[in-house]
Amino acid sequence: MNIGNLPARHARYRGDHLAVVFGDQRLTYRQFNARINRLANAMLGAGIGKGDKVATILPNCLELLDLYWAAAKIGAVVVPSSTLLQPAGLKTLLNKSDCVMVVSAPSFAGTLNAVRSEVPAVPADRWLLTGEGVPAGFVSYDAFVAGQADAEPPDAGVDQEDPYNIIYSSGTTGEPKGIVHTHRIRGNYGAIFASQWRMTPESVVMHAGSIVFNGAFLTLMPWMYLGCTYVLMPGFNAADTIDAIEAEKVTHTILVPSQIVAVMNEPGFDAKRLESLEMLQTVGAPLHLEHKQRLIEALPGRFYELYGLTEGFMTVLDKYDVESKMASVGVPIAFYDMKIIGSDGAELPPGEPGEICGRGPMMMPGYYKRPDLTAATIVDGWLHTGDIGYVDEDGFL
């Protein structure tokens, strides 16, 4: 299971299908796969190969999507990072993750210059900046990929247990640590969540938040697994979100609670403009009951809620269970087990609150280079979330 094989598959068997929309740029799978290959071949030419860590500090852009899939093809490991990082945090992340290449934007050059001398593993010719206005001392991304072949790169011998990305999160222990996801885990994200969200190869997915956070992969992986269409927004704006859903006939999207509230409070909000939606999912924080009820009244039969950790345990409140289980966050997804335990480690009966624990096929193998924290979080095969919850008589969390 190598997720890097997916773009080439779709380029061959549904090459004319619309793959990506970003602003006024519209790419078929054949065109998108060619972009990915040019980057993959450029990375190989620069000495980046299987197991090498590549950090991204980028806003939503086509180059970030290119890099996600180019890295998968050559077996490199992506370390996606937020553009909100300050120099001290960035230096720590780059050094702890063993990054040997950095891809960012000109607007972030000042922060990069503040840490470059303290990140010795990244040589001078592997600090890439996208777009125009690349300052001296950095390599232009466009120049980096210019003239590269758009043929498939050599087989990298990627195994399903090879790492695909490391996402840094404070998670369950309060200190940032690298959560490793393998090709198998991300492949399961694609297959399992495509089914969970009732997606098809004709679906249209939109993402308006940052795609460097794990919540974005809940639809990013099913998109590529199915070969449907992905509408990537530069950032979140309530009016633009409504316009895009209407214009592109978006079927599936994820918004955090504050974004949902902003969309519903936008003067241009009209349920008829969003009638193409089959899923509007919330993740990352609770959506207050009053907003949930208002949303369900405006857009019935579309709302999903996910509770989960980047470390790899999730429950989903399905759109057909929302009205009867309004106060819950649903049940474990397919192939997952869940239990609520007390302070003595014993499983608790329905109605009694305790620590939420779970296990399943998308759990991380561990925190990068932190076996101590891994052992404290995964005990006897169970992920201990550190969160408190209880199940009702029907098993809903």
Side-chain angles (χ1 to χ4, degrees):
M1 187 185 288
N2 172 3
I3 61 171
N5 293 334
L6 292 171
R9 178 190 186 278
H10 301 317
R12 180 178 183 183
Y13 297 118
R14 51 196 286 117
D16 293 329
H17 190 79
L18 182 62
V20 181
V21 177
F22 182 75
D24 60 0
Q25 300 180 78
R26 308 175 76 83
L27 302 173
T28 66
Y29 272 100
R30 189 174 294 108
Q31 293 168 328
F32 183 46
N33 188 56
R35 284 178 59 105
I36 296 167
N37 287 345
R38 286 192 286 272
L39 175 58
N41 288 318
M43 292 170 71
L44 289 172
I48 303 296
K50 184 178 178 182
D52 286 333
K53 316 301 188 300
V54 179
T56 66
I57 308 104
L58 286 166
N60 287 359
C61 58
L62 285 178
E63 292 85 355
L64 183 51
L65 285 180
D66 293 342
L67 205 146
Y68 278 170
W69 298 105
K73 289 194 180 206
I74 67 173
V77 182
V78 184
V79 185
S81 309
S82 170
T83 54
L84 301 178
L85 276 174
Q86 298 300 307
L90 178 61
K91 180 188 73 172
T92 299
L93 183 147
L94 294 177
N95 285 323
K96 282 192 171 183
S97 63
D98 298 320
C99 281
V100 296
M101 182 176 180
V102 175
V103 184
S104 190
S107 59
F108 209 63
T111 302
L112 297 178
N113 275 327
V115 304
R116 285 181 66 164
S117 63
E118 299 176 82
V119 186
V122 182
D125 60 352
R126 290 188 187 164
W127 295 84
L128 274 61
L129 297 182
T130 62
E132 299 177 356
V134 175
F138 291 93
V139 176
S140 163
Y141 179 97
D142 291 341
F144 183 73
V145 300
Q148 294 292 329
D150 58 13
E152 294 296 322
D155 186 343
V158 175
D159 181 81
Q160 64 177 5
E161 300 306 329
D162 285 330
Y164 165 66
N165 66 244
I166 304 172
I167 291 184
Y168 276 80
S169 167
S170 294
T172 60
T173 64
E175 66 173 278
K177 57 215 174 295
I179 299 167
V180 178
H181 295 115
T182 63
H183 280 255
R184 176 183 57 79
I185 289 170
R186 288 310 192 191
N188 279 327
Y189 264 70
I192 292 174
F193 284 118
S195 174
Q196 187 75 56
W197 313 142
R198 299 176 175 86
M199 290 171 63
T200 75
E202 288 66 53
S203 295
V204 179
V205 179
M206 185 196 75
H207 198 80
S210 171
I211 59 170
V212 306
F213 300 111
N214 194 59
F217 289 82
L218 296 169
T219 51
L220 192 147
M221 287 296 154
W223 152 57
M224 185 56 75
Y225 168 73
L226 291 168
C228 57
T229 299
Y230 195 75
V231 180
L232 180 62
M233 305 294 285
F236 176 75
N237 174 278
D240 292 344
T241 296
I242 294 170
D243 290 345
I245 292 172
E246 182 178 35
E248 301 294 342
K249 294 181 171 51
V250 171
T251 59
H252 294 73
T253 192
I254 294 177
L255 297 173
V256 299
S258 60
Q259 293 171 336
I260 290 176
V261 174
V263 166
M264 290 194 296
N265 289 338
E266 177 64 28
F269 177 73
D270 180 347
K272 291 181 181 179
R273 298 184 64 193
L274 309 182
E275 63 183 1
S276 65
L277 283 179
E278 300 169 16
M279 177 186 88
L280 199 168
Q281 183 210 134
T282 189
V283 68
L287 180 65
H288 293 307
L289 195 58
E290 62 181 290
H291 303 308
K292 193 181 294 187
Q293 289 173 326
R294 181 183 168 196
L295 178 63
I296 293 168
E297 289 172 5
L299 295 166
R302 294 168 171 90
F303 178 73
Y304 293 75
E305 185 164 10
L306 181 140
Y307 157 78
L309 283 75
T310 304
E311 284 87 344
F313 175 69
M314 304 91 170
T315 66
V316 171
L317 180 61
D318 189 79
K319 64 181 181 179
Y320 292 118
D321 293 323
V322 168
E323 295 196 33
S324 62
K325 298 291 184 180
M326 188 82 72
S328 87
V329 289
V331 300
I333 59 177
F335 308 119
Y336 266 82
D337 297 318
M338 177 180 67
K339 64 181 179 180
I340 308 298
I341 64 170
S343 56
D344 60 355
E347 188 168 358
L348 297 172
E352 290 194 30
E355 184 180 12
I356 304 165
C357 298
R359 62 184 179 187
M362 291 183 282
M363 278 174 48
M364 65 174 184
Y367 297 116
Y368 185 61
K369 296 171 68 174
R370 291 302 305 265
D372 54 332
L373 294 180
T374 301
T377 301
I378 301 177
V379 182
D380 295 329
W382 289 87
L383 178 66
H384 287 240
T385 69
D387 291 341
I388 303 299
Y390 67 92
V391 296
D392 66 13
E393 292 294 338
D394 298 318
F396 281 69
L397 181 64

